[in-house]
Amino acid sequence: MTALAPSPASPPAAHRTGGVRAAGPASALGRVGDALADAVTMSGRALRLARRDVDSIITAAVLPVVILLLFTYVFGGAMDVGGGSYVTYATPGIILLCAGFGAASTAMAVEHDMSGGMVDRLRSMPMAPWTLLTGHVAASLVKNLVTAAIVFGVAVAVGFRPDASLLGWLGAVGLLLLFVHAISWAAAFVGVLVRSPDAASGFTFFVMFLPYVSSAFVPVDTMPTWLRGFAEHQPVTPVIETVRSLLVGAAPGADVGATALLAVAWCAGLALVFAVAAAWGFRRRR
């Protein structure tokens, strides 16, 4: 009688709880590395999806440029910003305005994944589903960097002349990334909560409204007293004032250090709050 050779032992199935790798013999460092690899994969996926959405790419690139040209050539001649070039004054605000539009696309992308079955598939795989949100946020940072570069190039073509040092440029770009990071987590939170693309896109109106009620396009001291209080104590104003100071110099008597600390505190605080809220909403969403 022929003896049957024993079949190789199958590796034990990975235990899954809500799609998250269960603790095993792997070290904590290895689990962190796996989670980072998952996040990179999800970021690449989000970027590929964005690349296929040609209409959104064109709108994200063209809309900020149109707003920049509109403010520069239609309203710029009537604006008094201390004798300087209006395009120099307004460019930082236009770049932050881009972040609002980019955040709306992030909210819609997250909502599509939440309602389209993608999350259910991830929960059946040995990976952390929260990396889906991290991937969308990372993709938002990349997309906003591209849009900001386009706006900056057009601004230089129409008269924007920054005189920042290398450290000034690094500080300005770093702060802009912090702001986009915070807004993207807020968009991810909205995308987790809402149940339709229209509701997700509505986030645009709120985020794009904030730069208008700040020092982005006019000095806050030209506003009515009741509105000036809001403009001075919302997150966009210290971010814009810091970026403007780093790129073209601070206004006389301005406390750049205190404004920069306030801007970083706003960005870090918003990112932390909305990241935690998005993770909470993600776990509760069914």
Side-chain angles (χ1 to χ4, degrees), residues 224-235:
T225 304
W226 61 271
L227 187 59
R228 187 186 312 163
F230 174 78
E232 291 175 341
H233 298 92
Q234 57 123 323

Side-chain angles (χ1 to χ4, degrees), residues 155-175:
V156 169
V158 299
F160 181 48
R161 296 295 181 267
D163 56 1
S165 63
L166 176 60
L167 288 178
W169 275 108
L170 292 176
V173 173
L175 184 56

